Amino acid sequence: MAEVFAAPSRYVQGPGVAATLGDEMTRLGLEGPVLILAGASAVRRLGAIWEQSLGPAGFAPTIHPFGGECSRREIAAVADAARGLAARTIVGAGGGKAIDTARAVAAELDLDIVSLPTIASTDAPTSAISVIYSDEGVVEESRLHPRNPALVLVDTDVILAAPERYLVAGMGDALSTWFEARACARSGATHSRGGTPTRAALALAELCWKTLRADGTAALAAQRAANQTGGRAMDAGARGAFERIVEANTLLSGLGFESAGLAAAHGIHNGLTVAPGCHAALHGEKVAFGTFAQLCLEDAPAGEIAEVLAFCRSVGLPVTLRQLGLGGIDGGLLQQIATRAVQTGEVTHNEPFPVTAAMVEGAIRRADAVGQGG
Ligand SMILES: [Zn+2]
């Protein structure tokens, strides 16, 4: 099996970079017409900036409002709009679902895709994957596309203005990256891009975890202060921590998961989605608990488990079933979660040892007990 590393062609992050969209597209040789698929808050925040940035660069954009779900119906509707426009480039702007929809449309029409995330809650913007849901919001498939985005444009002023819960959830998604990469390296599992991990991907995944430990609490404090003061009064140290965490949540975590692989943390996340009680929990919040349970499943050193527990507590990520909305869970539901986590083809089987539902159930119980303890 060959080692494979996949990445976006260009990643640009910083305060105010949304205004450089036109210049960045010109630099990359991307063509118009441009269809921008955007959620309502992205349009409010960035609509005027896009007109100013794309118009002078010769790309008159058409903004298409996102319907709210990355479903086959939505993908077909946006693809029709893009065909009607003879679009050459698709821009996905907003949260993960808007970007996933835009990516699926671009893949279907063989067009270039630009990701413009407005929150840092997951590592999806850099990837070549769309998670497709039914119109009712149930996961139907993970669709793999041939190419990563041509451009990922991360305006950290926009991210800074978002609610802090999204940044924390992004840290939960990023928390899993190193531990899942390490599991895949040990087992020799194949990642989603069709190869085994390079040393580059493993180094980025490890840097992701180091960055969370070094800067997580300072970045969260910076965002909290910015939300209270309308973005004013941030010193350079706080801004630096915030920028590094946005990079960890988006780029390091994205490259790490896609080119090193996923394991039990995301498998247990997928298991948790069968429990209605935690539907209000964000992806990264469930992944954080999944990471904690993965380490219990692996019987990781007590010091490492304690370190992950301390990190989760320091930024407010869930470490118990109750914090996920599953307090007082009955044995039957726990069994269902564990069974879903080990279904055929699930990433839980990327662990370097055979994993059964009973083992996952035990790991979740142990994580919950450790999380409740001192
Ligand atoms: Zn994830």
Side-chain angles (χ1 to χ4, degrees):
M1 176 62 67
E3 294 174 359
V4 174
F5 183 87
S9 302
R10 186 170 168 85
Y11 177 89
V12 180
Q13 176 188 315
V17 299
T20 67
L21 178 58
D23 290 345
E24 289 292 344
M25 286 182 57
T26 302
R27 182 197 302 267
L28 286 164
L30 299 179
E31 297 174 349
V34 179
L35 182 141
I36 302 180
L37 178 68
S41 66
V43 174
R44 266 197 311 277
R45 172 96 197 185
L46 295 169
I49 291 173
W50 290 328
E51 299 285 348
Q52 287 160 17
S53 169
L54 290 171
F59 306 104
T62 299
I63 297 174
H64 187 99
F66 176 51
E69 191 56 88
C70 180
S71 62
R72 293 193 176 106
R73 183 206 299 260
E74 177 76 6
I75 292 165
V78 181
D80 277 349
R83 275 191 208 95
L85 198 68
R88 300 293 306 147
T89 300
I90 308 286
V91 176
K97 289 189 176 189
I99 294 174
D100 273 16
T101 305
R103 199 189 337 263
V105 170
E108 195 172 308
L109 304 181
D110 194 22
L111 302 177
D112 283 306
I113 170 79
V114 174
S115 291
L116 209 158
T118 54
I119 51 179
S121 65
T122 74
D123 51 21
T126 60
S127 78
I129 297 169
S130 294
V131 180
I132 315 283
Y133 292 78
S134 69
D135 289 327
E136 292 72 42
V138 177
V139 176
E140 287 192 334
E141 60 166 313
S142 269
R143 197 177 289 179
L144 301 180
H145 308 305
R147 284 183 288 157
N148 288 71
L151 171 66
V152 180
L153 197 55
V154 186
D155 188 326
T156 45
D157 279 342
V158 175
I159 308 269
L160 189 63
E164 66 182 51
R165 186 180 174 195
Y166 292 123
L167 189 80
V168 172
M171 288 195 262
D173 204 19
L175 173 64
S176 70
T177 307
W178 164 239
F179 300 104
E180 295 185 290
R182 185 177 70 180
C184 290
R186 285 175 178 164
S187 67
T190 305
H191 57 64
S192 64
R193 306 312 290 164
T196 53
T198 55
R199 284 162 54 79
L202 294 172
L204 293 171
E206 191 166 18
L207 180 60
C208 186
W209 172 219
K210 282 185 183 157
T211 306
L212 292 180
R213 272 181 296 172
D215 294 312
T217 51
L220 176 59
Q223 177 146 51
R224 198 168 283 166
N227 284 346
Q228 284 163 0
T229 63
R232 295 184 305 278
M234 189 184 299
D235 65 47
R239 183 80 204 199
F242 181 76
E243 293 285 337
R244 288 190 291 276
I245 286 299
V246 172
E247 185 191 334
N249 287 10
T250 312
L251 184 65
L252 297 175
S253 181
L255 298 178
F257 101 78
E258 202 173 28
S259 284
L262 297 173
H266 272 78
I268 291 169
H269 162 278
N270 294 344
L272 288 167
T273 64
V274 307
C278 64
H279 279 179
L282 298 174
H283 172 82
E285 292 167 344
K286 291 186 288 247
V287 170
F289 183 79
T291 305
F292 191 33
Q294 176 182 321
L295 293 176
C296 292
L297 178 74
E298 293 172 344
D299 211 7
E304 190 169 83
I305 292 177
E307 212 170 8
V308 167
L309 180 65
F311 171 74
C312 287
R313 286 197 174 132
S314 73
V315 295
L317 283 165
V319 292
T320 66
L321 289 168
R322 180 172 301 281
Q323 288 168 346
L324 276 177
L326 297 176
I329 187 171
D330 66 69
L333 181 55
L334 194 53
Q335 225 168 18
Q336 267 180 274
I337 291 169
T339 302
R340 172 64 186 79
V342 297
Q343 77 177 28
T344 307
E346 189 49 84
V347 287
T348 307
H349 300 297
N350 289 344
E351 291 292 329
F353 47 85
V355 180
T356 64
M359 288 162 70
V360 169
E361 199 181 325
I364 291 174
R365 284 189 196 282
R366 184 176 158 207
D368 183 52
V370 174
Q372 286 180 48

